[in-house]
Amino acid sequence: MTLQDTLLGAAKAAQLGNYKPNPLVLTKGEGRRVTDADGRTYLDFLAGVAVTSVGHAHPELVRAIAEQAGTLMQVSNHVFNERAIELAVELVKRTGFARAFFCNSGTEANEAMLKIARHHHFARGDAERTEYVATYRGFHGRTMGALSVTGQAKYHEGMQPLIPGVTFVELNDVDALRAAVGPRTAAVIVEPIQAEGGIHVATDDYLRAIRRICDEAGALMLLDEVQTGYGRTGRFLAREWSGVVPDACSLAKAMGGGMPIGAMLVTERLAGSLPPGSHGTTYGGNALACAAALAVLRIFDAEGLVQNAASMGERLARGTAALVEKHARVAVGTRGKGLLQGLVLASTVDANKFVAACIERGLLLSVVGGDCVRFVPALNVTAAEVDEALAIVDAVLQDAPRKSE
Ligand SMILES: *Cc1c(COP(=O)(O)O)cnc(C)c1O
C-alpha cells in the first residue's frame, strides 16, 4: 500500500462522503503544479476550482498571509480592521461599485445579494417584492437561498422545500425573461458565464436586456461573478465585456488565491439597503483573508495577470478549437472567455473517464454540465503550460474513453 492508498482509506472511513473526488491526495503545490502523496506531479488546470488565481505557493501571497497571521487575524465586526478597509477602497476604485461587503464564500456572497434585494424593496415600502428570476443551468451555491435560485434539479433533490417565488428562464431568451419579470420580482440573478452549468456564455445583448427589463419593471439586477470575477475572463470583472452595470455583484473563488473570502459589491442605489443589524457574518472581512485578497491584487498588477488571462485564454481557446477540428467525432465544440474555457465532448464519450485519463497523463481538470471539460488554470499560467495541457488532452482525445453500453 502506498501512502496515498492509506490516506484514501482513512478518508473513506472518516470523511462524510458528500463528494465524489478523484482518488488523488494532493500534498504540495508550486506555481501551476501539484504533487500527490506518492510524489507524482500534475499540471493543475482545475486550480482548486478557479480559486488559486496566482498559482500555488506564490511567494508574495505566502508572505502576506504569514505576516498578517502574525500581526492580527480576526477582530470581529464590532470594530474595524485596516486590511478590510484597504480592500474595500481598492475594490471600489477598481470596479466603480460604491460599497463592498465581505463574507467567506461564493454562496454567502449570493445570499447577501438575495437579502439586500428584498430589504431594498422592503425599506422602500414595497414589501410584496420578494420573488426572484434565475436561469436554468445556473449555479449560485449550496445554502438554502442560493440553492433556491440554482436552476439545476439535481441539486434540489431531497432538499425541498426551498424558498418560494423563484421562476427559472432559459439563458439568452429575452422574451422568456420579459414574461417572467413582474411587479413581485425583487431581482433577477444571473452569471455572465454559467460555469458549473457547462460554460454557457450570456450574450452581451442578453445582459443589456436584463438591465433594461429590470429597470422597466422596478426589479434589481444581480450578477454572480463568483467564478468569472477577479480577472478570470481577461477583464477584472466579466461585466466589463458588456458594459452592463448590475445593482450588485458577487465575488469569491479567485479573490483570495486560496484563502476563503467572498464579497458583494453594490452600486450607490443599494449603499444603504442593508442597514445596521440587517445582515452579517462573524468571519466576514477578517484581516487575514483581506490581506490575501490584497496580495492577489498586488500580484495581478505587478505581473499583468488580468492581461495574461486574456492572452493565455485566447491561446487556450485557439488550441481547443483546433482539437475540435482534429477530433470532430469525440470533441464537438468549445465555449468560454479568457481563462474559463470549455471543450464539449460528444455524447458517446464518458466524461468522467476522460478526466481520469487526463489525470493519468498528468493533467488535473474537471467536467461541468455533464459533457464539458473545464479549463480554469491560474491566471499566471504560461504559454508552455497551456500547450502542455492541450497536448495531453489531444492524446486523450486520440483514444477517448467511450460510455459503456
Ligand atoms: C462556485 C460558485 C458559487 C458557490 O461558491 P462557494 O464558495 O462554493 O459557496 C456560486 N456561484 C458561482 C457562479 C460559482 O461558480
Side-chain angles (χ1 to χ4, degrees):
M1 283 245 290
T2 67
L3 172 58
Q4 183 153 262
D5 292 336
T6 307
L7 287 165
L8 289 171
K12 206 168 172 193
Q15 290 191 331
L16 186 58
N18 55 314
Y19 303 108
K20 45 175 192 321
N22 299 289
L24 209 56
V25 182
L26 298 181
T27 54
K28 194 175 158 47
E30 199 182 340
R32 275 73 57 204
R33 311 241 172 215
V34 288
T35 306
D36 72 18
D38 292 339
R40 238 197 115 188
T41 66
Y42 305 82
L43 185 57
D44 187 5
F45 271 53
L46 175 59
V49 187
V51 164
T52 55
S53 48
V54 295
H56 297 279
H58 191 294
E60 168 66 13
L61 180 57
V62 171
R63 189 199 58 74
I65 291 170
E67 199 174 293
Q68 193 63 47
T71 307
L72 187 69
M73 280 202 259
Q74 158 77 2
V75 296
S76 88
N77 293 301
H78 295 259
V79 292
F80 290 92
N81 81 74
E82 282 178 286
R83 296 296 93 76
I85 297 168
E86 289 164 1
L87 182 59
V89 167
E90 199 58 47
L91 290 177
V92 162
K93 194 173 82 195
R94 284 170 195 251
T95 65
F97 283 95
R99 305 287 170 93
F101 162 81
F102 298 121
C103 52
N104 315 288
S105 66
T107 201
E108 282 177 75
N110 288 331
E111 292 293 331
M113 291 208 297
L114 297 173
K115 288 181 73 176
I116 202 172
R118 277 191 177 174
H119 205 280
H120 169 77
H121 297 299
F122 168 81
R124 295 173 72 250
D126 197 356
E128 301 286 286
R129 273 193 192 269
T130 58
E131 299 184 354
Y132 302 101
V133 175
T135 57
Y136 289 114
R137 284 192 308 233
F139 181 84
H140 300 293
R142 306 298 200 119
T143 53
M144 280 294 177
L147 178 64
S148 300
V149 293
T150 288
Q152 302 184 54
K154 64 177 178 182
Y155 297 120
H156 290 177
E157 200 178 297
M159 300 300 181
Q160 278 103 344
L162 301 172
I163 65 167
V166 180
T167 304
F168 292 102
V169 294
E170 288 294 339
L171 185 77
N172 292 331
D173 183 340
V174 175
D175 292 337
L177 184 79
R178 195 176 290 114
V181 175
R184 297 180 69 93
T185 307
V188 174
I189 182 167
V190 68
E191 297 156 87
I193 301 174
Q194 293 181 324
E196 298 301 315
I199 317 199
H200 298 279
V201 181
T203 65
D204 290 350
D205 281 347
Y206 183 68
L207 294 170
R208 289 186 197 113
I210 297 176
R211 180 70 277 176
R212 202 168 52 241
I213 289 166
C214 284
D215 286 344
E216 285 163 10
L220 297 173
M221 177 178 181
L222 310 176
L223 201 60
D224 180 347
E225 292 237 28
V226 167
Q227 191 150 167
T228 56
Y230 238 74
R232 172 62 52 193
T233 70
R235 299 282 176 93
F236 188 65
L237 297 180
R239 68 137 221 97
E240 294 166 36
W241 292 103
S242 65
V244 169
V245 181
D247 297 291
C249 109
S250 55
L251 297 173
K253 291 195 165 85
M255 197 176 168
M259 183 64 80
I261 182 170
M264 170 178 69
L265 306 177
V266 302
T267 59
E268 197 56 50
R269 182 185 191 184
L270 295 185
S273 297
L274 278 180
S278 61
H279 188 56
T281 150
T282 298
Y283 291 121
N286 73 82
L288 186 64
C290 291
L294 283 162
V296 168
L297 291 178
R298 285 197 300 276
I299 295 164
F300 279 11
D301 293 346
E303 301 179 15
L305 295 193
V306 180
Q307 179 49 46
N308 192 63
S311 57
M312 287 304 117
E314 274 171 33
R315 189 180 187 94
L316 186 52
R318 274 199 309 275
T320 50
L323 291 178
V324 170
E325 279 203 10
K326 183 172 172 189
H327 303 283
R329 275 188 326 106
V330 285
V332 296
T334 64
R335 296 192 284 259
K337 206 170 251 180
L339 283 176
L340 175 54
Q341 291 291 334
L343 173 71
V344 186
L345 299 173
S347 59
T348 51
V349 178
D350 186 316
N352 291 324
K353 285 186 191 154
F354 190 92
V355 167
C358 289
I359 292 174
E360 195 49 50
R361 288 173 184 267
L363 174 65
L364 188 55
L365 38 63
S366 67
V367 162
V368 286
D371 62 355
C372 184
V373 180
R374 169 175 54 185
F375 302 80
V376 280
L379 307 195
N380 56 0
V381 71
T382 65
E385 289 161 345
V386 167
D387 295 348
E388 185 182 338
L390 288 166
I392 292 172
V393 173
D394 188 0
V396 174
L397 286 168
Q398 199 70 48
D399 188 22
R402 307 189 129 260
K403 281 180 183 154
S404 38
E405 277 75 39

